[in-house]
Amino acid sequence: MAVTVFALTLMCFGLSSSLAVAQTCVDWGSFKEQVLYLGQRGPPYRLTCPLGDVQPQNAPQTELSWLKDCQPLDTQRGKAYLEFVGLSLEDQGNYTCLQQGNSTASFTVRLVVKESQCTKAPEFKPSGGLTQLREKVGSVVKLNCTVLLLWDQNDEQCDGTLQWRKDGQPVSNLTQQNTSSWSPASDQLMVSSQLVITLRELEDFGMYSCSVRNVSSDFSLEDSSSVNHTAAVTAAFVLLLLLGGAALFYSKCHLNIKLWFKNSYGEYELSDGKLYDAYVSYVNNDYDRKFVNFILKPHLESKNAYKVHLNDNDILPGSEPSAELLMNISRSRRLIVLLSHAYLEQDWCSNNFRQGLKRLLELCQQPILILLEGQSKRMRPEIKQLLSEHQHCLTILTWKHNSVTPSSVFWKELALAMPRRVVFHSESAGDPQTILQDDKDPMLTLEPDYLDCRSDTDPDGDLGVRLPAYKAMTSRAPVLPAAPVTQPRPSDGGVSDHSYGVRTDFYCLVAEDNL
């Protein structure tokens, strides 16, 4: 207990000693308080010591020294004032100037640094921004500007005046009505100003602004009789961008778009009775044969499921085309000619290409000519001219070094020139022509399930299970007990020379008794 009392006594003694030391440099009889604000405009603030003004004339010259919170400021020794270039919160405190001579005199200034309310941005009511107004000449317009300011009555440099400007120039010849209201509780000042404008001529229109403390609220006053082309120009610009984007997209993807439309909405060419999709004519040399057999034919048959007929004979020999050649071409929907350098060296091409091209167009209305990029440059000028003249009735494709990829332009253009591709999702779908044309002829249908060639189990009576020989595809024949099938006899009148190897059960349509 004695130790605790002794410790408290020491603490009280030390606290009183420190307070006494802290107050030793402050003469409360020579003391004043000075309040300064952060960010105030004007020259640097000077804190002047008044002891130099009251010094007697005959007294010896003494030196002034400065203390801040009783701590000496050695750098300010001998100066009659302290200068503050930029005030900050760390500058506040007790500044004491000492005059030492026969007797010591002191004067203390308590410097208080506050954040000025006048440096804070004003708040416009409604929120500041651009207000657009459209009026006619001869009308009267009233512009209202209301702003809420944080206000300090002790700050002499606090600005609360609203200023009107037109196109950056002060307005002086217009009527202004200013009002203000002070709220001491919240240190706020509400200032309102109304500018009355009489629009006598076009020069009265323009940009008006209400500003205070370097912040403004703008009013755009426009003539309503003048045509505003901003919306039209913006719409035209947006439309131009859309058209440009559409043109760019079409230039990059027009082949894909055409292929999609053809494969989705194009017409099938399966009811024309033709056997092949393309008849390919080429010269039987090493280069052309490899191109046709290893590049062209596999792509058409494997990737697009086309049926291709190849012929390495002269499509137009010196004499008239053979009947077999004409028949094979007539059975094909397209005629593809590999117009290589060797192909052009044939007799019918080298002697009279014009006559040969004319006869070629007689065989097919829109033949497809494939040119090889390296060899087409050596083509004779008259041949190039003839191809250019008949370009409207020819499909000319050029095989380039980058045409190997399946997505190249060459294959897309060739797919556009070929018939619409038929895609089936089942391998047992049957003949495409029969299914698409809804042909129910049993001679054209593979493995039908609507024919029953077995004999009746009870030919003398009707048991209700006898089935017709030819039924609709929508109903399946019930499974009947197995019965021996009578082998049909060949007809006495001779058998047709057509091959019916695909179907072996159509003879059961003729009963043995009818022979």
Side-chain angles (χ1 to χ4, degrees), residues 457-514:
T457 56
D458 188 6
D460 298 332
D462 188 3
L463 301 179
V465 295
R466 183 178 179 86
L467 300 174
Y470 186 65
K471 291 182 62 180
M473 292 183 65
T474 55
S475 80
R476 297 179 58 89
V479 179
L480 299 178
V485 179
T486 305
Q487 187 69 21
R489 293 182 307 174
S491 176
D492 297 337
V495 181
S496 174
D497 57 351
H498 292 286
S499 175
Y500 295 104
V502 177
R503 294 297 310 274
T504 58
D505 57 350
F506 65 91
Y507 292 106
C508 67
L509 297 177
V510 182
E512 184 176 358
D513 298 336
N514 297 329

Side-chain angles (χ1 to χ4, degrees), residues 296-307:
L296 183 62
K297 183 175 181 292
H299 183 89
L300 293 177
E301 291 184 344
S302 301
K303 185 173 180 59
N304 297 287
Y306 287 126
K307 207 171 183 180

Side-chain angles (χ1 to χ4, degrees), residues 256-329:
N256 295 330
I257 297 174
K258 291 180 180 179
L259 280 175
W260 170 82
F261 184 81
K262 178 181 178 179
N263 294 330
S264 301
Y265 305 100
E267 296 183 359
Y268 291 104
E269 301 181 25
L270 297 176
S271 60
D272 51 5
K274 297 183 182 295
L275 299 179
Y276 304 102
D277 293 303
Y279 181 94
V280 181
S281 175
Y282 65 99
V283 174
N284 189 11
N285 60 7
D286 292 341
Y287 188 87
D288 293 9
R289 184 171 59 254
K290 290 179 181 179
F291 177 82
V292 171
N293 288 277
F294 295 102
I295 296 180
L296 183 62
K297 183 175 181 292
H299 183 89
L300 293 177
E301 291 184 344
S302 301
K303 185 173 180 59
N304 297 287
Y306 287 126
K307 207 171 183 180
V308 180
H309 180 79
L310 302 182
N311 186 10
D312 55 359
N313 298 325
D314 293 347
I315 189 172
L316 292 177
S319 59
E320 291 295 328
S322 63
E324 181 182 2
L325 178 65
L326 295 178
M327 182 182 62
N328 290 332
I329 294 178

Side-chain angles (χ1 to χ4, degrees), residues 344-362:
L344 295 175
E345 292 298 324
Q346 298 180 103
D347 293 338
W348 70 272
C349 284
S350 59
N351 296 333
N352 191 350
F353 184 77
R354 180 183 295 274
Q355 185 65 23
L357 182 61
K358 180 179 179 181
R359 296 174 64 182
L360 187 66
L361 293 175
E362 292 176 356

Side-chain angles (χ1 to χ4, degrees), residues 81-95:
Y81 60 87
L82 296 179
E83 187 174 81
F84 298 88
V85 178
L87 283 175
S88 63
L89 296 177
E90 289 78 9
D91 293 331
Q92 64 182 354
N94 295 327
Y95 290 87

Side-chain angles (χ1 to χ4, degrees), residues 334-337 361 365-371 390-398 413-414 416-418:
R334 298 292 185 272
L335 172 61
I336 301 177
V337 178
L361 293 175
Q365 296 181 355
Q366 191 80 18
I368 302 174
L369 305 183
I370 298 179
L371 306 180
H390 295 80
Q391 192 173 5
H392 62 282
C393 54
L394 297 173
T395 301
I396 302 177
L397 307 178
T398 303
E413 292 179 346
L414 181 60
L416 286 174
M418 294 293 291

Side-chain angles (χ1 to χ4, degrees), residues 32-328:
K32 75 172 183 178
E33 183 176 299
Q34 179 69 40
V35 179
L36 299 178
Y37 294 93
L38 292 174
Q40 66 179 5
R41 297 179 297 273
Y45 172 72
R46 284 187 177 184
L47 182 59
T48 306
C49 181
L51 297 179
D53 300 335
V54 298
Q55 185 178 359
Q57 296 181 357
N58 297 328
Q61 188 70 24
T62 59
E63 185 180 24
L64 294 177
S65 60
W66 289 90
L67 304 175
K68 179 185 178 184
D69 296 332
C70 297
Q71 299 295 327
L73 299 175
D74 297 332
T75 57
Q76 306 297 329
R77 182 178 294 275
K79 294 184 179 180
Y81 60 87
L82 296 179
E83 187 174 81
F84 298 88
V85 178
L87 283 175
S88 63
L89 296 177
E90 289 78 9
D91 293 331
Q92 64 182 354
N94 295 327
Y95 290 87
T96 304
C97 61
L98 296 176
Q99 185 181 36
Q100 296 179 355
N102 296 331
S103 61
T104 301
S106 66
F107 190 88
T108 302
V109 177
R110 174 174 291 177
L111 189 62
V112 180
V113 180
K114 295 182 179 181
E115 184 179 1
S116 178
Q117 298 285 9
C118 299
T119 59
K120 297 182 179 180
E123 181 181 358
F124 286 91
K125 300 292 184 178
S127 60
L130 179 62
T131 303
Q132 294 183 347
L133 300 175
R134 298 181 62 84
E135 299 291 341
K136 296 181 179 180
V137 176
S139 60
V140 178
V141 181
K142 296 181 180 180
L143 303 181
N144 295 312
C145 179
T146 303
V147 63
L148 183 63
L149 303 173
L150 294 177
W151 189 260
D152 190 350
Q153 291 182 332
N154 298 323
D155 192 351
E156 299 177 355
Q157 298 184 356
C158 206
D159 184 15
T161 305
L162 295 179
Q163 295 182 352
W164 285 96
R165 295 177 178 271
K166 178 183 179 298
D167 298 330
Q169 301 297 326
V171 174
S172 58
N173 57 348
L174 298 177
T175 304
Q176 301 183 26
Q177 300 177 0
N178 300 325
T179 58
S180 62
S181 59
W182 162 249
S183 176
S186 57
D187 292 336
Q188 291 180 344
L189 181 66
M190 181 74 73
V191 181
S192 300
S193 179
Q194 186 182 73
L195 183 67
V196 181
I197 307 172
T198 302
L199 302 175
R200 297 184 177 87
E201 52 188 359
L202 294 177
E203 285 74 11
D204 294 332
F205 295 93
M207 183 69 69
Y208 291 84
S209 61
C210 169
S211 61
V212 60
R213 297 181 184 177
N214 297 326
V215 182
S216 63
S217 178
D218 300 327
F219 300 85
S220 177
L221 194 56
E222 301 176 358
D223 185 8
S224 60
S225 60
S226 63
V227 181
N228 187 8
H229 299 284
T230 304
V233 171
T234 303
F237 182 73
V238 172
L239 180 61
L240 184 62
L241 287 180
L242 293 177
L243 291 178
L248 181 62
F249 175 78
Y250 184 78
S251 64
K252 297 293 184 181
C253 308
H254 68 282
L255 292 178
N256 295 330
I257 297 174
K258 291 180 180 179
L259 280 175
W260 170 82
F261 184 81
K262 178 181 178 179
N263 294 330
S264 301
Y265 305 100
E267 296 183 359
Y268 291 104
E269 301 181 25
L270 297 176
S271 60
D272 51 5
K274 297 183 182 295
L275 299 179
Y276 304 102
D277 293 303
Y279 181 94
V280 181
S281 175
Y282 65 99
V283 174
N284 189 11
N285 60 7
D286 292 341
Y287 188 87
D288 293 9
R289 184 171 59 254
K290 290 179 181 179
F291 177 82
V292 171
N293 288 277
F294 295 102
I295 296 180
L296 183 62
K297 183 175 181 292
H299 183 89
L300 293 177
E301 291 184 344
S302 301
K303 185 173 180 59
N304 297 287
Y306 287 126
K307 207 171 183 180
V308 180
H309 180 79
L310 302 182
N311 186 10
D312 55 359
N313 298 325
D314 293 347
I315 189 172
L316 292 177
S319 59
E320 291 295 328
S322 63
E324 181 182 2
L325 178 65
L326 295 178
M327 182 182 62
N328 290 332

